[in-house]
Amino acid sequence: MRLVFDRGTLILREAPPGLDLARLPEARWDPRVSAFRFPACTLEALAGRLRRMGVPFSDEASAGRMGRPAFRTPVGLRPYQRAALAAWEMAGGRGLVVLPTGAGKTRVAFAAIAQARVAALCLVPTRVLVQQWQNVARELTGVDPGIFGDGERAVRPLTIATFESAWRYMDRIGDRFGLLVVDEVHHFGGGVRDESLEMCTAGLRLGLTATPPAPPGSVRLAELVGKTVYELSVADLAGSFLAPFDHLVVHVELEPDERAEYDRLRALFREVFDQFRRFHLGAGWEDFIQEAGRTDEGRRAIAAFHGARKLLAFPRGKRQALARLLATHADARTLVFVADNHTAYGVAREHLVMPLTCDIGRAERERALALFREGKLRALVSAQVLNEGLDVPDAEVGIVVAGRRGEREHVQRIGRVLRPRPGKRALVYELVVRGTSEVREAARRRRAIAA
Amino acid sequence: LLPEKVIPARIERGVVVPFFLTTQDHPWLAILIEEIDRFSGRPRRELWERLRAPLPCAVPFFKGRAATAVLLRLWRAVEEAAVAPPAAREAVFVAAAAAPAGATRAGIFAEAAAALGVGGDAGLEGALFADLPGERIVRAPSVVPPAAEAALRVNLAIARSLLQRASIISIQLEGAARPVVRQAQWRGLLCTLRAAEPPELEVSGPFALFRRTVLYGRALGEMLPFLARTGRYQLRARC
């Protein structure tokens, strides 16, 4: 009997008659090829089970694996990074390592690859991060990795791919690696891209994140990558391996016309939302959106909700506060975080600050980061691009004007100014509009930082 | 292809029924084409703004959105600026960072223009974000399609967008099946031929056995134009 990798799945060919393969977990009879088929991620479990059953088979699915990458230099680790690696190894080479932004998750990944001594595929969310991982790989290990994404298709014992490319091509390359590393792994666990993890035969799996997801995403991730094996928060590392920081909340007021508009929009939204909650106990936000989308009144309520959010994103009070803060810290390297690209361009136009958004090309982004590193640009403004992963040069001041994605986003943003340097104490300002939903959200975000 | 919320279709007892454009839709489609064409030479954000308001005629809501999405791809938006926007941004923002406290905006732009070697401020302020999607200038296609042709384009987009969300398709073919099978296999799909009259092909991807997946949707959607080369076909898609 032959165990074969076939386009993201496994097939058992030439099974001896009388052998009941339908009992095996995840087995599906495929009439198209007249054989039993299994998801590729079950390779190790399936091979182990067949061996325990005493069934002779040739494992051709593992035959396509490449040799290990030849690291030329050992990867040096800090004590907590060593502890994270040890925890991952003790968990059988499967699991999530949760470390705050700037704590060196990439370094842990390369140390794990060196330790595992197998070909590794690293998945990262964006093309910018592919470039960044490629540079770190060269610097840390002396290995030139293969790139899968951004028009390149080079598969090597150490390969870096975007999530998107992995999803599209895992059915072709899923049998080449023994270790799968997933950066910003919280993006998985509840979407179509989970399929790329299912279509890979790698038994060793390492997920990296600063913000592990809550159930049901965490449950699915535990199946696909493993459970959390090591976790540290910003508070654990600030002052030692991350720079200490002060978190200051700047309260601003809405002007009378803005307040009237905000109250009107909120009332419109609350009327429909409160009524929905009365009749749908335990229902969530997604349920509300689905239900509200069916009626004119509901659609108006959703529009009012978004209108209120838009108003809070950059009212005149925040505009003035931001101007004051940028003037106060004119000599410090500052990162400004806003809620959306529209506001980012508004800030850029008004204060002549370089924006980093998805509309700005890769080459220009890299050039802007280089100028920021050299001190030729004093500030950068961004809605989401700076949120996660990107290796942002050292900055001393962070100004959070507004956010869209709650605590997870906030933790990532704060991590951006915590790159340690002797004598550094970072400053994080958070602009919050008094008497609005932002007050409650800001309190939640602060609790997430302390946790 | 069209985003899911733009596809004109309804679900009737578990079956997706697409609303294809017919000759009855040609009058409003012609008005829509005329209206979009009117914005040639203007920033795309102005066209977006106009399209948020209703047209001066009745337009079926979902069909209108699908047609707009398809037509907006024909009226491309191009960048027009005296200075390349990335160069303008670098010069202006670096000049602003280096400017002493109290420097005026005009002074910063003059400094940036000098660094770029262009006279005055040379439209630097306008060039700063001229490459953003909303700031690009709308340009009409070399030949503006008549309503009938536009309707066909919209219908093809609707059909392919639905197929993109399918995991398995069944095709009853009259004529040669081999080119279709070859296309499917070339795209990494699996084909099974069911002996019937006419013969029925079932096309899907290997992983479709485990999940309702849209992984093969693009490949399934790409097969549609090849079916037009067969004598006659009937296609059913399962999502």
Side-chain angles (χ1 to χ4, degrees):
Chain A
M1 186 167 68
R2 292 158 54 217
L3 179 57
V4 182
F5 178 79
D6 180 55
R7 289 169 277 185
T9 63
L10 301 169
I11 299 181
L12 277 173
R13 290 198 188 281
E14 298 155 25
L19 185 65
D20 185 10
L21 293 172
R23 281 187 306 135
L24 293 170
E26 306 252 26
R28 298 270 197 291
W29 175 253
D30 191 343
R32 299 169 298 183
V33 293
S34 301
F36 277 99
R37 207 180 269 277
F38 305 80
C41 62
T42 61
L43 174 64
E44 296 214 337
L46 177 63
R49 210 173 169 104
L50 289 173
R51 281 188 200 107
R52 280 198 298 280
M53 286 162 67
V55 182
F57 69 98
S58 78
D59 181 2
E60 293 174 20
S62 305
R65 284 196 181 159
M66 289 178 291
R68 67 183 173 120
F71 283 14
R72 282 194 277 278
T73 46
V75 182
L77 294 177
R78 294 170 178 167
Y80 66 88
Q81 290 168 330
R82 270 201 297 276
L85 184 59
W88 178 72
E89 283 174 330
M90 276 159 50
R94 284 181 78 91
L96 269 53
V97 168
V98 182
L99 290 174
T101 313
K105 291 188 282 292
T106 320
R107 197 172 269 270
V108 175
F110 284 117
I113 295 167
Q115 205 87 334
R117 294 164 186 260
V118 290
L121 174 63
C122 306
L123 308 186
V124 299
T126 61
R127 291 179 296 178
V128 180
L129 284 171
V130 168
Q131 195 77 37
Q132 193 174 299
W133 273 66
Q134 187 181 25
N135 295 341
V136 176
R138 283 180 187 145
E139 186 190 316
L140 278 185
T141 68
V143 167
D144 200 17
I147 299 296
F148 220 83
D150 210 3
E152 287 187 57
R153 302 272 179 275
V155 178
R156 297 201 186 129
L158 173 61
T159 298
I160 301 163
T162 57
F163 290 169
E164 185 64 27
S165 297
W167 184 61
R168 291 201 184 289
Y169 296 98
M170 195 63 96
D171 58 343
R172 293 173 220 178
I173 62 169
D175 63 335
R176 316 286 293 276
F177 307 95
L179 167 61
L180 186 62
V181 177
V182 190
D183 189 23
E184 309 293 355
V185 73
H186 53 266
H187 289 287
F188 290 84
V192 290
R193 278 173 185 72
D194 287 0
E195 289 163 5
S196 53
L197 306 187
E198 290 177 294
M199 295 169 88
C200 179
T201 58
L204 301 175
R205 295 185 174 211
L206 170 64
L208 304 168
T209 179
T211 50
S218 61
V219 177
R220 183 82 183 110
L221 261 188
E223 289 168 11
L224 293 171
V225 183
K227 292 181 178 166
T228 300
V229 293
Y230 190 81
E231 183 167 4
L232 286 180
S233 69
V234 170
D236 294 320
L237 294 179
S240 52
F241 293 101
L242 293 178
F245 69 101
D246 294 314
H247 190 192
L248 306 174
V249 177
V250 179
H251 285 105
V252 300
E253 300 281 355
L254 288 178
E255 295 197 358
D257 60 323
E258 291 171 331
R259 170 61 66 185
E261 178 64 0
Y262 175 78
D263 289 344
R264 185 186 72 79
L265 292 169
R266 284 296 289 183
L268 205 66
F269 164 70
R270 293 279 353 167
E271 189 185 335
V272 178
F273 186 61
D274 290 346
Q275 193 178 6
F276 171 81
R277 291 230 297 210
R278 268 200 299 279
F279 292 105
H280 300 81
L281 290 175
W285 178 252
E286 293 297 323
D287 304 310
F288 170 69
I289 293 291
Q290 208 168 13
E291 181 73 20
R294 293 189 183 135
T295 62
D296 281 346
E297 193 190 25
R299 283 195 285 269
R300 272 198 295 277
I302 296 171
F305 172 80
H306 289 302
R309 291 288 289 256
K310 200 171 167 188
L311 199 152
L312 293 183
F314 203 42
R316 291 194 282 277
K318 282 189 177 178
R319 211 172 277 252
Q320 288 155 9
L322 178 64
R324 274 199 309 277
L325 291 173
L326 284 174
T328 306
H329 297 288
D331 294 331
R333 268 178 287 200
T334 305
L335 299 177
V336 181
F337 300 100
V338 294
D340 50 59
N341 285 351
H342 179 73
T343 311
Y345 298 130
V347 169
R349 278 199 175 94
E350 197 171 326
H351 300 288
L352 299 182
V353 168
M354 178 70 198
L356 283 189
T357 67
C358 52
D359 300 324
I360 303 288
R362 187 176 75 174
E364 192 185 354
R365 277 193 221 174
E366 281 169 10
R367 174 92 183 122
L369 289 171
L371 289 169
F372 188 70
R373 194 175 291 120
E374 291 163 17
K376 290 182 179 162
L377 287 176
R378 282 293 174 197
L380 299 173
V381 56
S382 169
Q384 281 172 35
V385 168
L386 290 177
N387 277 2
E388 59 183 36
L390 203 65
D391 189 14
V392 180
D394 190 18
E396 297 91 35
V397 179
I399 305 173
V400 181
V401 176
R404 279 274 161 87
R405 300 181 174 197
E407 299 96 271
R408 175 183 296 164
E409 178 186 71
H410 194 63
V411 171
Q412 301 269 24
R413 285 173 161 186
I414 287 194
R416 296 275 149 238
V417 293
L418 300 186
R419 186 182 290 272
R421 178 167 34 89
K424 174 179 169 181
R425 188 167 187 91
L427 254 176
V428 178
Y429 292 98
E430 194 178 355
L431 308 188
V432 177
V433 182
R434 254 191 245 278
T436 66
S437 55
E438 272 198 346
V439 176
R440 198 175 56 249
E441 287 164 16
R444 257 206 314 265
R445 289 200 290 258
R446 278 197 299 284
R447 279 199 297 276
I449 291 295
Chain B
L1 296 175
L2 300 172
E4 197 167 329
K5 60 182 178 186
V6 167
I7 301 173
R10 70 164 183 270
I11 298 175
E12 265 177 27
R13 276 173 275 171
V15 177
V16 177
V17 182
F19 302 136
F20 289 115
L21 271 60
T22 65
T23 48
Q24 289 182 340
D25 297 299
H26 291 182
W28 65 259
L29 196 56
I31 293 172
L32 177 63
I33 290 169
E34 204 174 294
E35 198 62 18
I36 291 176
D37 198 42
R38 207 163 61 77
F39 282 80
S40 294
R42 290 158 70 175
R44 191 155 56 171
R45 74 183 138 74
E46 290 183 16
L47 174 58
W48 287 340
E49 195 64 38
R50 168 64 190 92
L51 292 175
R52 266 183 224 124
L55 287 180
C57 60
V59 178
F61 183 70
F62 286 106
K63 282 183 178 179
R65 290 202 336 182
T68 305
V70 172
L71 292 174
L72 282 181
R73 280 175 213 157
L74 293 175
W75 270 261
R76 296 190 174 279
V78 295
E79 175 193 315
E80 285 183 9
V83 180
R89 282 193 285 269
E90 182 174 329
V92 170
F93 298 138
V94 167
T104 62
R105 195 176 175 88
I108 291 169
F109 274 95
E111 189 73 31
L116 285 168
V118 292
D121 78 356
L124 271 188
E125 184 114 42
L128 216 45
F129 293 113
D131 55 344
L132 294 185
E135 300 301 322
R136 289 170 181 245
I137 304 300
V138 177
R139 285 277 164 257
S142 51
V143 181
V144 175
E149 190 195 319
L152 288 176
R153 282 175 184 267
V154 176
N155 287 343
L156 180 63
I158 294 170
R160 291 184 66 177
S161 304
L162 285 170
L163 282 186
Q164 199 188 21
R165 284 153 182 89
S167 49
I168 296 174
I169 59 174
S170 306
I171 312 160
Q172 284 190 332
L173 274 177
E174 280 178 24
R178 186 169 295 183
V180 179
V181 174
R182 205 180 299 133
Q183 283 299 328
Q185 287 176 339
W186 187 70
R187 287 173 167 76
L189 300 168
L190 289 169
C191 264
T192 35
L193 187 64
R194 201 171 292 158
E197 198 47 54
E200 187 172 328
L201 268 180
E202 197 169 86
V203 186
S204 64
F207 199 74
L209 204 61
F210 299 97
R211 305 253 174 282
R212 259 179 47 182
T213 175
V214 291
L215 185 65
Y216 310 106
R218 183 189 289 242
L220 293 173
E222 280 171 356
M223 289 189 57
L224 192 59
F226 292 94
L227 294 177
R229 295 179 194 171
T230 61
R232 197 181 156 98
Y233 70 88
Q234 189 183 51
L235 184 148
R236 274 179 296 136
R238 213 159 62 222
C239 301

